[in-house]
Amino acid sequence: MAGVLLSEAEKTFILHGVQSDLRNDGRSKQDYRPMELELDIVTHANGSARVRLANTDILVGVKTEIDVPKPEKPDEGKIEFFVDCSANATPEFEGKGGEDLATEISNFLSTSFNSGLSFDLKSLCILKEIQCWKLYVDILILECGGNLFDAVSLAVKAALHNTMVPRVETMAMDGGNVDLQLSGDPYDCWRLDIKNVPCLVTLTKIGEHLIVDPTAEEENCSMASLVLAVTEDGRINSLSKTSVGSFHPHTLTEGLKVGTEVGIRLNKALKEALEKEEKRLQADKPERSGFLK
Amino acid sequence: MPVDNRRIQGPEVSFPYCLFQQSDGRNKTNSNPSNLLTVRKDGRALLDHRKIYMKTGVVSQAKGSAYVELSNTKVICSVFDPREIPNRVEYSQHGELYCVLKYAPFSCKTRRAHQQDSEEKELSLNLKRALEPAVCRHEFPNFQVDIYVLVLENDGGCLAAAITCAGLALADAHVPMYDLVTAASLGVTGDTMVMDPIEEEERLCSQDVKEGQNHGLVTVALMGAHTQITQVWQTGSMTSTCVSDALSRLIQLCEETYPIAQRCLVKSVVNTISKKSTS
């Protein structure tokens, strides 16, 4: 990826490291780099999260708006992903440079959210055929240190967990128009169910081995990677090959196995981190005052 | 989004009428998965694929072209001479493939717009990823080969047909390649696997099922002689065993299609030679 130049000798060094299951930074093949997670850091978004995976920095904000449901899916809400590869991350993204990567990530995310088993869009419906919630998931890539897919998906899942959708108190039909009354209390919201939302796991092939969480240097010496969307209970919601290269069927089936295991672990770790962060936020929350409470 | 005013636009907001149609008896049989199990619309067994027709050299002005037909799925592809990569300053060691997949406006049940939508962009990217490993890209550094695929009629398995078709067209255009690429698709709903699904079956497979069950679509592209999977694309939700099962079935089907594609190319070579010798 971005702006890393490696000589043949350096590539061979990384390759030999992977072969003996000891990577440059001391990890084994299936280890992730340290991650940091922060929730609720953007005041104007309904939900937000920031994930830092070593040098990769992702900021996600979720905004909810009201929209008309699609005619072919009258009882479902909408969710849309926008990825912005800003030139802050690397000069290569300047202008239209990051566009291809951005569409690839956002398309992959929407494919993995497509199944009703992964994310329940029906809960976002307000009034069948007339009104629904639309979630805008905006993803900002602040720094790019390899393994964008995984970091983005973690941040998206965390931000969706953090999203507060206002509660609709009353609905009235006035002629053809809908009159919605939202709750006046800013804390009177409901949370999205993110239990089955998948995390993406990228498996990068270096030599004959598959590794998880590649650094930018490792991505540079690999020809092919595989991205899997894995849910908490180990189901695969989407699978695709990214970058040039190809796979032998054996490598692919092995990748499926490894990817599912890693994905389950990743989901579990994220869940724990979310609970911890939630507790911290709860402790910091300003006390509510007001004469009716 | 910019709109091309010279084209005849439909009304700004219009819906396909089939949304409001009461599903008649024929549709009902297929909206119920248990009925699909027993009889497929075209009388195939569940793991049978459709008949495939391939032809190269269908567009005279393109460098290479091909046409692939999977009964009602009809795809045409043309490949043009390498040209310098536009708007690129630095030198790239490998040549690039520029793939565009487009549905004809009348190819699907609902009308498609003239401009590429996000689904078409995604399919184009998948097409590019499927072809890249097969092309000797170091042979034309700093150049790009344009590959345009047009879906004339969509009845399921579009991406698979497009990949096979583009592989043939590349070979027909004398672009140096390591191997031919063939592709196949498969649908899963519940415990049932449907090989080479038609559009209705595809829709059924992407519909939701009960929690804990499998559903979705898998497409695989394979280089037959090297047994290398150049692209795999799965949607829906399924267990990893189900995915690997689907993979092995698809690989088998791709291997079956491979000699047909080879024969098609041999035929076009023989035709050219015999034409030259008579003239």
Side-chain angles (χ1 to χ4, degrees), chain A residues 54 60 67 103 117 127 129 131 176 218 221 231 243 245 247 249 259 267 271 281 283 292:
Chain A
V60 174
D67 198 5
T103 20
L117 295 183
L127 204 60
E129 283 174 26
Q131 277 191 332
E218 282 166 338
C221 25
T231 62
S243 69
F247 285 99
N267 272 302
K271 201 176 166 187
L281 282 177
L292 280 177

Side-chain angles (χ1 to χ4, degrees), chain A residues 50 56 72 75 77 82 85 89 95 102 111 120 128 135 139 155 174 197-199 209 213 216 220 251 260 262 286 288:
Chain A
R50 176 177 160 254
T56 306
E72 63 267 29
D75 56 346
F82 294 98
C85 299
T111 326
D120 184 25
K128 199 181 165 189
L135 300 180
I139 301 152
D174 181 13
V197 168
C199 284
H209 300 270
D213 190 21
N220 200 298
T251 327
T260 324
V262 172
R288 273 199 273 167

Side-chain angles (χ1 to χ4, degrees), chain A:
Chain A
M1 188 156 297
V4 185
L5 292 172
L6 288 183
S7 67
E8 279 309 309
E10 284 169 305
K11 283 186 184 177
T12 325
F13 183 75
I14 290 176
L15 172 71
H16 285 173
V18 169
Q19 269 169 1
S20 42
D21 203 7
L22 182 67
R23 287 152 74 177
N24 274 5
D25 40 14
R27 289 181 287 157
S28 73
K29 279 184 283 191
Q30 289 168 27
D31 281 343
Y32 270 88
R33 287 170 289 176
M35 291 181 223
E36 279 168 40
L37 173 76
E38 268 178 281
L39 287 182
D40 207 14
I41 50 170
V42 183
T43 37
H44 288 301
N46 296 66
S48 58
R50 176 177 160 254
V51 165
R52 192 173 171 85
L53 174 66
N55 285 331
T56 306
D57 209 333
I58 312 283
L59 179 62
V60 174
V62 181
K63 282 280 220 185
T64 56
E65 275 182 21
I66 288 173
D67 198 5
V68 181
K70 283 185 208 150
E72 63 267 29
K73 285 170 183 165
D75 56 346
E76 286 185 6
K78 296 178 181 173
I79 184 165
E80 241 174 69
F81 300 93
F82 294 98
V83 180
D84 181 16
C85 299
S86 66
N88 278 354
T90 133
E92 276 175 37
F93 289 162
E94 197 261 313
K96 284 193 164 184
E99 210 175 20
D100 289 345
L101 183 68
T103 20
E104 190 172 0
I105 297 176
S106 57
N107 276 344
F108 197 84
L109 278 173
S110 41
T111 326
S112 56
F113 275 69
N114 219 338
S115 161
L117 295 183
S118 58
F119 188 70
D120 184 25
L121 285 174
K122 290 201 171 106
S123 61
L124 293 175
C125 178
I126 302 172
L127 204 60
K128 199 181 165 189
E129 283 174 26
I130 299 169
Q131 277 191 332
C132 68
W133 289 108
K134 182 170 186 176
L135 300 180
Y136 288 96
V137 183
D138 288 291
I139 301 152
L140 266 180
I141 296 173
L142 299 176
E143 209 181 326
C144 182
N147 204 11
L148 282 181
F149 279 84
D150 299 22
V152 164
S153 78
L154 287 173
V156 165
K157 190 170 174 176
L160 286 175
H161 172 82
N162 185 236
T163 302
M164 306 278 202
V165 186
R167 213 177 284 282
V168 176
E169 273 188 343
T170 51
M171 271 179 284
M173 283 290 274
D174 181 13
N177 301 326
V178 191
D179 199 6
L180 284 187
Q181 196 105 55
L182 297 186
S183 168
D185 179 3
Y187 287 106
D188 186 17
C189 295
W190 57 280
R191 294 288 193 91
L192 301 165
D193 177 23
I194 56 142
K195 189 179 169 288
N196 288 322
V197 168
C199 284
L200 305 188
V201 177
T202 311
L203 292 165
T204 303
K205 194 178 114 187
I206 294 186
E208 291 302 304
H209 300 270
L210 292 169
I211 57 163
V212 300
D213 190 21
T215 58
E217 287 81 22
E218 282 166 338
E219 272 174 5
N220 200 298
C221 25
S222 129
M223 284 301 279
S225 16
L226 193 67
V227 185
L228 295 98
V230 187
T231 62
E232 209 173 75
D233 39 10
R235 297 169 70 80
I236 300 175
N237 274 16
S238 171
L239 162 72
S240 180
K241 190 210 75 172
T242 58
S243 69
V244 293
S246 57
F247 285 99
H248 192 271
H250 283 302
T251 327
L252 202 62
T253 33
E254 195 202 304
L256 282 177
K257 227 184 285 165
V258 175
T260 324
E261 280 167 25
V262 172
I264 295 172
R265 276 212 315 265
L266 192 62
N267 272 302
K268 210 173 138 199
L270 179 68
K271 201 176 166 187
E272 280 162 16
L274 282 175
E275 276 164 14
K276 219 166 131 191
E277 177 72 7
E278 200 72 11
K279 261 187 209 141
R280 189 187 69 79
L281 282 177
Q282 220 93 85
D284 285 356
K285 207 178 223 172
E287 237 175 67
R288 273 199 273 167
S289 51
F291 74 110
L292 280 177
K293 297 274 169 190

